[in-house]
Amino acid sequence: MDGRFNTDESYRFPYAVRNSDAAILRFPFPFPEDSYMYSMNVEPHVPAGPVASLHHAFDIDEHYVSECREKARILAEDPERCLVLPHMRQAEWDFVELAMDSLSRDYPDLFALDRDGDRWRWTNRPLEITQDFVFGNAGTLPCGPFEYMARQMQGDFTLQDQRDGDLWMDGGMVTSQADWSLKFDLGMSFGQWHAPVPKAPQMGIFDRALRFLLMLRHGHPVRRLNWTMTINPRLDTSPENFTIWGGDRGSVTADNVADKVHLRVELQSLFRLPRSNAILFSVRCYLLPVGAIARVPKWRSRLHRVLRDLDPALVAYKGLDRYLPQTVAFLSRLDDGAVLSPGIQPDTAILIAVDDLVPR
Amino acid sequence: MMMPRSTGYPAVIADVAPVTPTLRRFDIRATAQPFPPVSAGSHGVFAFGDAVRTWKNPYSIVARSDDGSMLRIIVRLAQGSRGGSAFLHGQGRPGLEITVLGIANLFPVVRKARRHILLSAGVGITPFLSYMDAMDGMGLAYCLHHYCRPEERQAFHALLADRDPGRVVLHDDPDTGRLSEILAAEPVSSRLSMCGPDGFMNWVGAVARDVGFSPGKIHSERFSAPEGGAAFRVDLARSGLSVSVGPEDTLLDALEAAGIEAPCLCRGGACGACRVAVLSGVPDHRDHVLAEAERAAGDCILTCVSRARTATLTLDL
């Protein structure tokens, strides 16, 4: 992150989102192998990893200012995208502390936190915010503490209460989601909100994941990558707005596939919150058009092989049916069949020029 | 925040005070980074000892100072323990180095409950001292009933002196009829949390079920002080090592002493994090985690408290 932001981007029609070469190379490409199936792909969320987007507790990139503006617009149109149940108040403050501590430590040029006992001053230079407040006193902030901080961060956040040997989604702010609704899932248990996912329950993945998360320790966050695909650089693919974006899935042609079809990756990280014993679930969304992925030879070949061989149940669940053939056709012309290295790292520091991507 | 703290939080004992003849309060001061905030019901695993031996014992965290410089615990002088608590009672003076290896919560407050009834005996009061602070802060309704011996009544009265007298009741007589009345008067929305010796919790649990508390609204925390037993040997299938476990050692301590990175969290048979697969031999289960079917199957063991019925066990380590 070099401190410069693409401040004039649009995540709704008319779409206007740019990715610099640096942003492409730090993309958290989600496929370490040539085929994909659900797995417990959880690892410690430590400041290390094969791409730079994994190197911070909460990743800030060149889209930060534009994404926060888009989030504010969605919340203005639909305030119930942010819902927190009353018993999660301590978890809200846990989140404020974790976010402010992490951002000011990881990006001292952008954020600052000055603490004098419970009198705190928060400075957010990209959004031009300076806020004096009393930690623990919600009346000293312009809105609820969770909402206040989540508005200043890329991605979605949910708060899970832990009780009765289960996790309960009892709060969150969700504006960049892959077709699920906080309004619908609020108050559900771990098993309930995962009920629509195919295959994984039969594989025992959710039972193991819940057991693992119930033991999650403060100071030892974990992460995983999840993925789907989205037409156009649209963060808000919500059920609430399905009528706006759902039809776009029928608009993909051989001529526009490179620009329209985006690989949507969620960097999901989970943090135990110390005061409340709740768990913060952070879902940081990255959108990259397949035309940009094609500029990394390893990634375009791997994406081709994964999509070509994807289980039909996952194709249906992820809603890829209507544009998968065009996408696979585009990528197949760019896959030379070479053996690819395991892992997600791009294996290059230089991107192929766009002009050299013309299909044969 | 991001780096695993395998070395824990270094600290020293700052103050020691008797609570009862068998309970002693220790205030522990951080000597490097401050302690993290702590949720009510949490325990820490504390490492301490002398040149001869190191103990790693779990204790409920009674309180943390707002600035994170201090943690408070209360330790019972237990008969038949492996000696860590006895060491603290005998040698735990200001200045003794003590490391907080980790903090976790296996007994969190159910914040959604309308009302909480807390039942404790002896040292079982420790998690509820943090519960009551948290519940006062959150505005939750609660009542604590603490059971003690008649000769300890004055000491517990002093310990609870600054609490709301309408919310704290001391009993020096375990009267089943009286407990039945107390529990039967609770509204159906109340949650019951209990902590104390096994006999006490079995008694409370039976009375609560008799008056109609649903099992899902009864919460407890049980830690086991690891007790010794016959020496045995473990053969480790993956590393090919053999490790001897002496009569006073725990299996987990013996594995760690042999340089094996064995999983663990609570070190008191309460969380299940140290579960390891048993490939041969018969385990002697002493934990509070495994279901009956898992005990009977005999194919796993919690290394922090359990031992062996056979001379050797083969573990998947």
Side-chain angles (χ1 to χ4, degrees):
Chain A
M1 230 307 298
D2 60 8
R4 284 179 291 117
F5 299 101
N6 309 338
T7 55
D8 54 351
E9 294 181 315
S10 171
Y11 288 90
R12 55 181 74 191
F13 186 83
Y15 294 97
V17 178
R18 295 186 315 282
N19 284 286
S20 66
D21 286 8
I24 294 171
L25 285 167
R26 70 195 305 288
F27 182 70
F29 187 78
F31 304 116
E33 301 168 347
D34 283 355
S35 63
Y36 175 82
M37 180 39 74
Y38 293 122
S39 66
M40 273 277 284
N41 56 336
V42 177
E43 63 179 10
H45 187 29
V46 292
V51 288
S53 51
L54 303 176
H55 292 184
H56 303 99
F58 302 102
D59 186 42
I60 302 289
D61 67 13
E62 64 190 20
H63 307 296
Y64 174 72
V65 172
S66 294
E67 284 196 31
C68 288
R69 188 171 56 228
E70 173 69 3
K71 183 179 279 198
R73 283 180 65 174
I74 294 167
L75 287 163
E77 293 162 358
D78 186 358
E80 289 191 319
R81 297 299 188 90
C82 180
L83 295 167
V84 186
L85 295 178
H87 63 278
M88 302 304 281
R89 182 50 64 111
Q90 266 185 318
E92 294 194 48
W93 287 109
D94 273 330
F95 171 67
V96 168
E97 180 176 48
L98 173 64
M100 289 185 178
D101 272 350
S102 302
L103 291 176
S104 58
R105 177 200 60 213
D106 291 348
Y107 306 97
D109 53 329
L110 303 179
F111 307 100
L113 176 64
D114 299 304
R115 298 167 66 147
D116 176 15
D118 58 4
R119 307 191 72 81
W120 292 22
R121 167 171 287 191
W122 169 245
T123 307
N124 179 333
R125 295 190 186 94
L127 298 184
E128 300 178 344
I129 293 171
T130 303
Q131 178 74 45
D132 291 302
F133 67 102
V134 177
F135 186 83
N137 182 344
T140 59
L141 287 174
C143 58
F146 172 81
E147 179 181 347
Y148 176 77
M149 200 57 222
R151 279 177 175 271
Q152 299 179 45
M153 300 173 75
Q154 291 170 272
D156 290 343
F157 300 92
T158 63
L159 295 170
Q160 277 64 229
D161 193 23
Q162 181 163 334
R163 60 178 190 273
D164 299 336
D166 211 334
L167 295 172
W168 306 81
M169 192 186 291
D170 286 344
M173 180 185 284
V174 176
T175 58
S176 58
Q177 69 270 51
D179 203 9
W180 69 280
S181 168
L182 177 65
K183 266 171 264 186
F184 188 76
D185 285 2
L186 189 76
M188 284 191 185
S189 70
F190 190 83
Q192 288 167 344
W193 82 68
H194 282 118
V197 182
K199 287 189 175 269
Q202 292 73 33
M203 296 164 69
I205 284 178
F206 291 134
D207 292 338
R208 273 183 290 152
L210 176 60
R211 263 207 307 275
F212 177 81
L213 291 177
L214 291 173
M215 291 289 162
L216 186 66
R217 291 174 62 190
H218 171 63
H220 299 261
V222 296
R223 69 180 173 225
R224 67 182 286 263
L225 296 175
N226 192 24
W227 72 279
T228 186
M229 305 192 88
T230 298
I231 305 308
N232 296 320
R234 185 174 178 88
L235 291 169
D236 177 32
T237 48
S238 58
E240 289 91 335
N241 284 334
F242 184 81
T243 52
I244 296 173
W245 59 268
D248 293 347
R249 299 188 295 180
S251 68
V252 177
T253 65
D255 291 334
N256 66 21
V257 56
D259 297 327
K260 273 219 169 219
V261 176
H262 288 65
L263 183 58
R264 182 185 192 104
V265 175
E266 295 176 348
L267 167 53
Q268 304 181 340
S269 50
L270 295 127
F271 300 80
R272 174 71 68 188
L273 300 177
R275 287 175 188 76
S276 58
N277 201 45
I279 288 179
L280 172 72
F281 183 44
S282 162
V283 187
R284 175 72 165 78
C285 175
Y286 298 81
L287 289 167
L288 201 60
V290 293
I293 291 170
R295 299 180 60 200
V296 180
K298 175 184 171 183
W299 287 355
R300 69 187 184 201
S301 297
R302 176 152 288 159
L303 181 60
H304 166 240
R305 297 168 200 182
V306 166
L307 293 179
R308 180 192 64 199
D309 302 335
L310 192 62
D311 187 296
L314 271 66
V315 174
Y317 173 64
K318 292 177 183 290
L320 317 182
D321 315 61
R322 296 178 69 188
Y323 52 86
L324 194 66
Q326 298 91 310
T327 311
V328 172
F330 166 73
L331 291 167
S332 71
R333 292 194 296 273
L334 300 166
D335 180 358
D336 60 6
V339 173
L340 303 175
S341 66
I344 68 171
Q345 69 286 352
D347 287 350
T348 181
I350 300 167
L351 298 176
I352 294 174
V354 179
D355 292 345
D356 295 339
L357 277 181
V358 179
R360 291 173 303 210
Chain B
M1 184 280 306
M2 295 286 286
M3 296 303 291
R5 288 195 191 90
S6 54
T7 49
Y9 296 86
V12 293
I13 292 178
D15 190 46
V16 185
V19 178
T20 72
T22 58
L23 300 185
R24 196 163 292 192
R25 191 195 79 203
F26 296 89
D27 287 346
I28 295 164
R29 187 175 67 233
T31 51
Q33 80 266 39
F35 299 119
V38 177
S39 57
S42 292
H43 70 269
V45 174
F46 296 82
F48 51 87
D50 54 23
V52 179
R53 127 144 238 205
T54 299
W55 286 275
K56 297 172 183 173
N57 281 19
Y59 298 110
S60 287
I61 295 170
V62 168
R64 168 193 180 267
S65 62
D66 285 340
D67 63 1
S69 63
M70 292 277 208
L71 291 182
R72 173 170 291 179
I73 59 174
I74 293 177
V75 177
R76 182 170 77 101
L77 181 59
Q79 292 177 336
S81 84
R82 59 179 162 160
S85 296
F87 176 87
L88 279 183
H89 274 252
Q91 311 292 323
R93 287 182 280 272
L96 180 78
E97 291 184 6
I98 188 162
T99 303
V100 183
L101 294 176
I103 296 170
N105 196 338
L106 303 174
F107 195 39
V109 173
V110 179
R111 290 184 180 76
K112 273 179 73 81
R114 291 277 185 82
R115 185 176 147 79
H116 297 265
I117 182 149
L118 314 174
L119 288 143
S120 57
V123 76
I125 197 169
T126 50
F128 296 144
L129 295 173
S130 66
Y131 264 50
M132 290 190 289
D133 290 340
M135 289 173 168
D136 286 337
M138 290 185 277
L140 297 177
Y142 67 88
C143 187
L144 169 76
H145 293 269
H146 181 68
Y147 289 77
C148 61
R149 285 191 280 273
E151 63 271 23
E152 296 172 332
R153 189 181 181 98
Q154 197 55 43
F156 280 108
H157 185 78
L159 181 68
L160 297 167
D162 57 351
R163 305 278 172 180
D164 178 350
R167 296 180 173 219
V168 176
V169 184
L170 278 178
H171 303 263
D172 53 24
D173 173 22
D175 180 338
T176 298
R178 175 83 183 105
L179 180 59
S180 278
E181 285 173 28
I182 292 166
L183 296 183
E186 285 296 317
V188 71
S189 53
S190 288
R191 294 268 183 159
L192 188 163
S193 299
M194 57 181 173
C195 189
D198 282 350
F200 171 78
M201 293 207 283
N202 292 339
W203 173 64
V204 173
V207 174
R209 280 188 295 277
D210 282 349
V211 304
F213 261 84
S214 94
K217 290 189 174 175
I218 301 175
H219 308 274
S220 62
E221 179 166 55
R222 290 174 195 250
F223 274 95
S224 301
E227 294 179 12
F232 60 103
R233 195 186 80 224
V234 286
D235 297 331
L236 307 180
R238 289 194 219 174
S239 60
L241 293 174
S242 282
V243 176
S244 296
V245 184
E248 296 301 318
D249 300 331
T250 71
L251 170 53
L252 177 58
D253 287 342
L255 291 171
E256 289 176 340
I260 307 295
E261 283 202 27
C264 70
L265 181 59
C266 78
R267 306 185 85 97
C271 77
C274 65
R275 176 179 176 145
V276 170
V278 174
L279 303 176
S280 72
V282 180
D284 177 6
H285 297 295
R286 299 182 178 188
D287 61 272
H288 294 296
V289 173
L290 295 179
E292 276 311 315
E294 292 173 308
R295 282 170 204 280
D299 57 1
C300 65
I301 186 169
L302 303 197
T303 62
C304 69
V305 291
S306 297
R307 304 183 67 85
R309 292 192 190 284
T310 43
T312 62
L313 290 178
T314 306
L315 304 181
D316 185 19
L317 274 177

